[in-house]
């Protein structure tokens, strides 16, 4: 546990990474993969609902 009176070592040689160089391509790929997954999910849901509608007994 720290008592709050201890001196912490701080390095002055810290090099900041530019935000532009971080990983913009990975974010774009993730967005496109997510949109593709949502499209596939929507198509599967529509197919499932159409199958249920075709099997539904309208003579209740």
């Amino acid at each position: 546990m720290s008592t709050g009176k201890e001196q912490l070592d701080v390095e002055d040689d810290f090099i900041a990474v530019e935000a532009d160089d971080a990983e913009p391509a990975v974010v774009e790929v993730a967005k496109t993969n997510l949109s593709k997954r949502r499209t596939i999910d929507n198509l599967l849901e529509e197919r499932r609902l159409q199958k249920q509608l075709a099997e539904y007994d309208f003579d209740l």
Side-chain angles (χ1 to χ4, degrees):
M1 301 237 19
S2 176
T3 60
K5 296 179 181 178
E6 299 171 1
Q7 181 66 28
L8 298 176
D9 294 330
V10 179
E11 293 184 21
D12 294 332
D13 299 346
F14 181 73
I15 300 173
V17 177
E18 293 293 325
D20 294 338
D21 297 337
E23 293 175 357
V26 174
V27 174
E28 291 296 323
V29 171
K31 285 182 181 179
T32 56
N33 285 343
L34 183 58
S35 68
K36 286 179 184 178
R37 181 67 215 171
R38 287 181 178 159
T39 302
I40 292 170
D41 287 344
N42 289 339
L43 291 171
L44 290 173
E45 178 71 11
E46 182 180 350
R47 185 179 295 169
R48 184 184 65 78
L49 290 173
Q50 286 177 351
K51 184 178 178 181
Q52 283 182 351
L53 187 62
E55 294 174 351
Y56 185 76
D57 185 17
F58 289 103
D59 296 331
L60 291 178

